[in-house]
Amino acid sequence: MTSKEPSTRNLLDSMIAGWKNSRMTRYGMFALLFVVLYVSLAPNLLPQRFDIQVGTVSDSDIIAPMQIPNNKTTLQAQEAAAEQVESVYAIVSMRRETVISQMLDRIESLNQDDQITNADKAQIYSEEIPQRAQNSIANFIRNNREAGKYSDKMLDEMQKTIGEQTYSIPEETFLKIPRLSTSEIQDMRQVATSIMSRLMSDQITDAQSARAKVAELVSTSSLSSRTAREVVQELVRATLTANKFYDEEATRAAKVEARENTPTVYIQQGEVLVPKGEKITQEMYTLLDENDLLKNDVNYWPQLGLVLFAFLITLGLYMYLRQSIHQGRTYNNAQLFMLIVIFAIGVICLHLVRILQMGNSPYFGFLVPAAIVVMLITLLLDIQLAYISSIIMSILASIILNMSQHELFDYQFGFFTLVVSFTAIQCIHRASQRSTILKAGIMSCFFGAIAVLTLVLLNDGEWTRISMMYAVGFACIGGLITTVLVLGLMPFFETTFGILSALKLVELSNPNHPLLRKLLIETPGTYHHSVMVGNLSEAAAEAIGADGLLCRVGSYYHDIGKTKRPGYFIENQNNIGNPHDSIDPKLSKSIIIAHARDGVEMQKEYKLPKPIRDIAEQHHGTTFLHYFYHKALKLAEEQEIEPDFTENDFRYPGPKAQTKEAAVVGIADSVEAAVRSLSKPTVEQVETMIEKIIKGRVDDNQFNECDLTMKELDVVARTLKEAVMGIFHSRIEYPEDIKKPDQKENKA
C-alpha cells in the first residue's frame, strides 16, 4: 500500500500539471473568455427582436429588452408643454408726447393767423390732427421696418391693433380749438405731455382702457380753463395708442423651445410592452418597428460585429499574455481560468448596476464597483495584467452602462472606470496587509468623485446640482462596495485556485503562527537556520525575477518536520552527543529524509497553501545523502557482508524542484548549512562552496523539472555570495584580514 501511494500521487500531480500547461486547454480558456465577452455584451448590442403582426394575439408577455423611446407619448408631452406656453407680447417704446407737442405747436401757430377765420381753422384742425396721429404711427412702423428692429409680422400686428383702436375726436372739439389763446396752449402743452408720458409708461394692450383714465388726470391738472381741459383730454385720447403687441414669431419660438426642452419619455428595460393574450395594435407595432425590434428582415451584421468585437478583445489579451512569456512572466491555465472568473464577476456587477440604473437615473451607473477586477488581478496575478484588464473593463463599462439608444459607447462610464482602476492599482500593488485594500478603496472613492466632478464640469448644463451630488455620492459608495467585495472574494480565490497572494504570505510570516511558534520553542536552532535561509533565498529569488516573498515564507516552514525529532539534526545538538553516531546509518537516513514528508503532513494539518508545502517537499529534491551512504558502506565492509542497498536508497524521495522558488530555497538551505559548518570561513571558501553546491545539483539533474536557466544560476550564485557576506560579516575573513592578523579585531 505504501509503495503505491507515491506513484498514485505522482500520477495525480502529473495530470494536474498537464491540465495547467496543456496548449489545447489554454485555447479552450480563451474560447471561454470569448463566450463571456459575447454573452455579456449581447443584451446591449443585440437587442431581442419579436416576430409579431398587427391584429394577432401575443402568446407571451413582450418585455422591453432595453430602454426605448416612446415617440407617441413624447410627442403628446411636447404638445402639452407647448400649449402651456403663454402668448408672448413685445413692448414697443413710442414717444407719443412728442406727437402731441407737435400738434399744439401747429395749433399755436395757426391760431395766431388773423387772416383765417375760426370756421376755416376748425376745418383744418379736423383734417390735420387725425392725420398727424395716423402719420406718426405710419412713419414709426416704416422706420422700424427698414431698420429691422422688429419683425414684419410684429409690425403688421402693431398696425392692425392701433388701427382697430383709433379714437375719433368729436366735431365740437375742433370748434373750440381756434378760441384758445397762446398762454392757454402753453399751459396745455405741459399738462398734455405729462399725462401722455405717464400713461405710455404702462404696458397698454387696450388703448380704450387707458383712455378712460385721461379725464381724471386732466381734471386734477393745473388747467383752469374748461375749454383747455376739454381740448387736452381729446388730443391725448386721439394720440394715445397701445404699446404692447402680440408677437407671433416669439410665441412660436417659445413653443418650439418648450417642445425641445420636454424630456423624451422612455419605456424602461423590463417593462411589459404587450401583456400575454392582448391583441397587437398598430400603435404597438409601430413602436417596435421604429426601434428596430421586429424580425421583419433578418440582419446578421450586428451579430457579426459583436463576434469580431469580442474576438479582437480576446486576441489582444492573448497576444499580451504570449508576449509576457518573453518578459519572464508566465500564466498557467488555472490562472487563466481564474482571470476569466474575475472578468465574469466584474461583468455581473456591471449588469446588476445596469438594472438599478434603468429603473432610476443614469448617475446610478457610478455605483458600480469599477475597480474590483483590477484589484483582484493585482493581488492574485500581476500588475501589468491589471493595467491591460482596466482598459478592457473600461470598454465593457462604457457599453453595458450606456443608456443612449443611438451611441454604442458612453465615454463617461469608461473614463470613470479607467480612473478608479488606475488609482486602485497604484494603491494596492505593494499591499502587505489587508488594511491596504481598505486604503485603496478610500482612494478609489476620492479619485472616483474627482472623475465624476470632471464629467459634470465638462457637461455644463446637463447636470443639476442634485444629480451631481447623487453621482459623486454613488462614486464614493461604489469604492466602499469594491473594498468589501475584494476582501470577501480574496479567500475564495486563494483557496479555490491555490493562489498564494502577498497578503496571505505576510500573514503566514507572522512569528505567532502556531507552527512557527512550535519551531521556535522546540527547535530554536532550526528556527534560526530557517530565518537565515529565508533572507538568502529572498535575495536570490528577487535577483532572477522569482517570488522573493514566497521564498522567504517558504523557508520559514521548509524544515518544520524537524520538530518531530529535533535532536537528530545538528543545528539543535547543543552540547549533547550526536545520536547518529550510535544508530544504524539506514535508520539515520530514514530519520533525515522523513523531515520533508513530516513537514508536508504538518502543514496540511494546519492548512498551509500548496506552494508552501511544495517548497518543504521539494527543497531537497532527490539529493544524495553521501555521509550516511559511505558510513553504511564502511559498516558493511567492517562486517564483511555484501551491501544490500544502493545509492538510490540513500536519496530523498523527491519530487525534484518544480518551481524556481523551490530550487532557490534548496540552494540557500545547503549554502547556509555549509557556511555555518565553517569555523572561520573566507571569501574564497564561500565562493567555492556556493559554486560547488550549485554545480553538484546541476550535475545531479536536480533542476531538470523547473525552468531555472544556467544564466539565472550564475545570478543566484553571485547574489548568495553577497548575501552571505552581509549576514555572516563578522565570521568571514577577508583576504586582507588573513595578511594582517593584527588588524582582524578592527575589521570585525
Side-chain angles (χ1 to χ4, degrees), residues 36-46 306 309 351 396 399-400:
V36 169
L37 292 173
Y38 184 92
V39 172
S40 63
L41 296 176
N44 298 86
L45 301 181
L46 300 177
L306 180 55
F309 186 82
H351 279 287
L396 297 182
I399 295 175
I400 295 175

Side-chain angles (χ1 to χ4, degrees), residues 8 49 132 149 152 169 389 422 499 673 729 735 737 739:
T8 303
R49 299 176 187 274
R132 281 180 177 272
K149 185 175 181 180
D152 290 342
I169 299 176
S389 301
F422 278 19
I499 297 296
H729 179 272
D737 295 331
K739 294 178 182 179

Side-chain angles (χ1 to χ4, degrees), residues 29 191 317 623 670:
M29 291 296 173
V191 172
L317 188 59
T623 53
S670 298

